[in-house]
Amino acid sequence: MPNHVHLLITPCAGKSLTTIIQSIKGATAREDNIFLKRTEAFWMRDYFDRYIRDHEHFVKAFNYIENNPVKAGLCEKPSDWKHSSASEREL
């Protein structure tokens, strides 16, 4: 998505979700700001998370994430979005 990211992750033992998100945001902000030739804040300070309760919830979240670019009008089908796991399955 052009203005946000969806991830389904399972933290490794001893790693908090907060630490993982901080690492992702820090690395991508540095690289993107270099690319964009800017120095200001890249990400909002907070993030939103959900605890996946069961397989059904996982499937719903997975489908929501893959269909998000379609719903936003960025492509016709999930596999058309090159930054999606759906595009990898089509290869």
Side-chain angles (χ1 to χ4, degrees), residues 5 21-36 42-43:
V5 175
I21 298 299
Q22 286 174 343
S23 295
I24 291 169
K25 284 180 156 185
T28 56
R30 278 188 298 281
E31 291 297 317
D32 290 341
N33 275 335
I34 289 169
F35 178 77
L36 297 169
F42 189 82
W43 294 103

Side-chain angles (χ1 to χ4, degrees), residues 29-80:
R30 278 188 298 281
E31 291 297 317
D32 290 341
N33 275 335
I34 289 169
F35 178 77
L36 297 169
K37 296 177 175 58
R38 49 178 253 165
T39 57
E40 58 264 18
F42 189 82
W43 294 103
M44 293 176 62
R45 291 182 59 85
D46 205 2
Y47 66 93
F48 300 96
D49 61 6
R50 286 209 171 84
Y51 178 79
I52 302 295
R53 292 177 265 315
D54 54 32
H55 183 71
E56 181 181 351
H57 187 198
F58 175 86
V59 170
K60 285 181 180 179
F62 186 87
N63 289 333
Y64 173 85
I65 290 169
E66 285 200 340
N67 283 294
N68 203 231
V70 176
K71 185 176 179 183
L74 299 169
C75 57
E76 289 186 26
K77 58 184 182 179
S79 60
D80 292 340

